[in-house]
Amino acid sequence: ISSSEAEKSSKKAVMIGEEYEALLQSALEDQAQHFEGEITSLRAELTASLVDKDSMTAEEAKEIEQLRTEIQKAKLDIDAASKELLEAQAHEAGLRATSQKLLAEQQEANDLLKKIQEEHRRENEQGKMQVEDLEQQIADLSANLRMRKQFSQSDELCNAQIFGTTSTPETKSSGARRGKKKGSRFFRK
């Protein structure tokens, strides 16, 4: 496994862990709200059972009924908010998945771009080397043509024989250049 694949796997594991943690926390919060509501409801029932309805005034009975109505309305509001929260969390999970997919595609595109840039750089270097080689060949051919022209114009050089020689390669440790350059030529009459 390459380091980039390991890094992707590590990032995926972290993201999955974070999503799992968020969902677990949300579920625990929903359970806590549910049981807090149950506790409140049971306390209200206990209080209502302890209060003697016959000893209450009409105003007190009316106020208790209003409180029960408000409690019921609050429970409905809490249920609606819980459903809305779950929908928002599901939407968020979908967005996270899309985001992860886009990040993975972006990473692939970046990797491909780097590969293309490297290939372009390599081809550019090869092209430069070919241009340098061709320029050297042109220079060699131009020198050859000049020499032939000089030979053809000089009676003395016209009948000369040309011998090519090579020298032994220099060692890198030697400080001064010795001998003639490889491929140097001399003329003999």
Side-chain angles (χ1 to χ4, degrees):
I1 296 177
S2 69
S3 63
S4 65
E5 289 176 0
E7 188 176 310
K8 285 180 186 177
S9 296
S10 174
K11 285 181 182 178
K12 269 188 180 176
V14 168
M15 293 301 291
I16 290 171
E18 288 175 356
E19 285 186 42
Y20 177 76
E21 186 178 321
L23 290 173
L24 184 62
Q25 183 177 358
S26 171
L28 290 174
E29 288 173 359
D30 289 344
Q31 288 294 318
Q33 286 178 354
H34 170 74
F35 286 114
E36 285 174 7
E38 289 292 319
I39 289 170
T40 303
S41 175
L42 289 173
R43 280 185 181 159
E45 287 179 24
L46 178 63
T47 303
S49 69
L50 293 177
V51 174
D52 185 9
K53 291 182 182 178
D54 294 334
S55 64
M56 281 192 276
T57 64
E59 253 183 57
E60 290 173 335
K62 185 178 177 183
E63 188 177 336
I64 288 174
E65 193 56 40
Q66 285 177 342
L67 289 173
R68 284 185 181 155
T69 304
E70 287 178 20
I71 289 171
Q72 190 62 31
K73 184 180 175 191
K75 283 182 182 179
L76 292 173
D77 289 346
I78 289 171
D79 287 344
S82 294
K83 286 179 183 177
E84 199 174 306
L85 176 64
L86 287 175
E87 289 172 2
Q89 287 173 339
H91 182 67
E92 179 188 9
L95 291 176
R96 281 186 190 207
T98 302
S99 173
Q100 288 301 314
K101 181 181 175 187
L102 291 173
L103 285 173
E105 289 175 2
Q106 181 183 22
Q107 183 63 41
E108 288 176 16
N110 285 340
D111 291 345
L112 182 60
L113 176 63
K114 286 178 185 175
K115 183 179 177 182
I116 290 170
Q117 286 174 336
E118 179 60 26
E119 286 176 11
H120 177 69
R121 185 194 60 75
R122 214 171 322 140
E123 287 174 0
N124 194 16
E125 286 179 7
Q126 288 175 349
K128 284 180 181 178
M129 289 172 62
Q130 287 176 345
V131 165
E132 289 173 6
D133 186 45
L134 290 172
E135 286 174 346
Q136 183 62 46
Q137 289 178 19
I138 289 170
D140 290 347
L141 289 172
S142 296
N144 187 337
L145 286 174
R146 280 193 312 273
M147 295 299 288
R148 284 181 181 221
K149 187 176 180 182
Q150 287 177 358
F151 290 163
S152 68
Q153 291 175 352
S154 170
D155 290 333
E156 187 177 319
L157 295 176
C158 193
N159 294 324
Q161 291 182 347
I162 300 174
F163 294 98
T165 63
T166 59
S167 65
T168 57
E170 290 184 40
T171 59
K172 290 189 178 192
S173 62
S174 65
R177 295 178 76 84
R178 291 187 221 149
K180 297 184 179 185
K181 286 186 179 178
K182 185 175 181 181
S184 65
R185 297 184 175 116
F186 64 91
F187 304 98
R188 191 171 6 143
K189 218 173 169 182

